[in-house]
Amino acid sequence: MIEKASEERTVHKNIRIEENEIHYSEKNQELYALKDCRNVQIKENKENLTLR
């Protein structure tokens, strides 16, 4: 979930999430939860679902 930030509420900025391997176990799990951020780049990540 990525929420749009307003100019007054921006807390974090210039975030890059790149070239990571992300493991998660719930099919509908949110992989990225960002709030009050500006200039976020998410690219070239590998996401792996592990069913248990």
Side-chain angles (χ1 to χ4, degrees), residues 3-11 36-38:
E3 295 182 17
K4 186 175 179 182
S6 66
E7 287 293 330
E8 313 83 55
R9 295 192 51 169
T10 300
V11 177
D36 300 327
C37 298
R38 286 228 170 262

Side-chain angles (χ1 to χ4, degrees), residues 4 10 13 23 27 32 34 39 49:
K4 186 175 179 182
T10 300
K13 63 181 180 178
H23 298 269
K27 191 171 185 176
Y32 310 100
L34 304 168
N39 193 23
L49 172 62

Side-chain angles (χ1 to χ4, degrees), residues 1-49:
M1 170 177 74
I2 302 174
E3 295 182 17
K4 186 175 179 182
S6 66
E7 287 293 330
E8 313 83 55
R9 295 192 51 169
T10 300
V11 177
H12 307 287
K13 63 181 180 178
N14 302 324
I15 298 170
R16 293 185 348 204
I17 303 171
E18 299 177 348
E19 299 180 15
N20 295 286
E21 189 167 324
I22 302 166
H23 298 269
Y24 61 105
S25 59
E26 293 183 31
K27 191 171 185 176
N28 295 319
Q29 179 178 352
E30 292 179 3
L31 298 181
Y32 310 100
L34 304 168
K35 184 177 179 182
D36 300 327
C37 298
R38 286 228 170 262
N39 193 23
V40 177
Q41 296 179 29
I42 301 173
K43 65 182 186 179
E44 298 181 25
N45 294 296
K46 182 187 270 186
E47 296 145 356
N48 295 307
L49 172 62

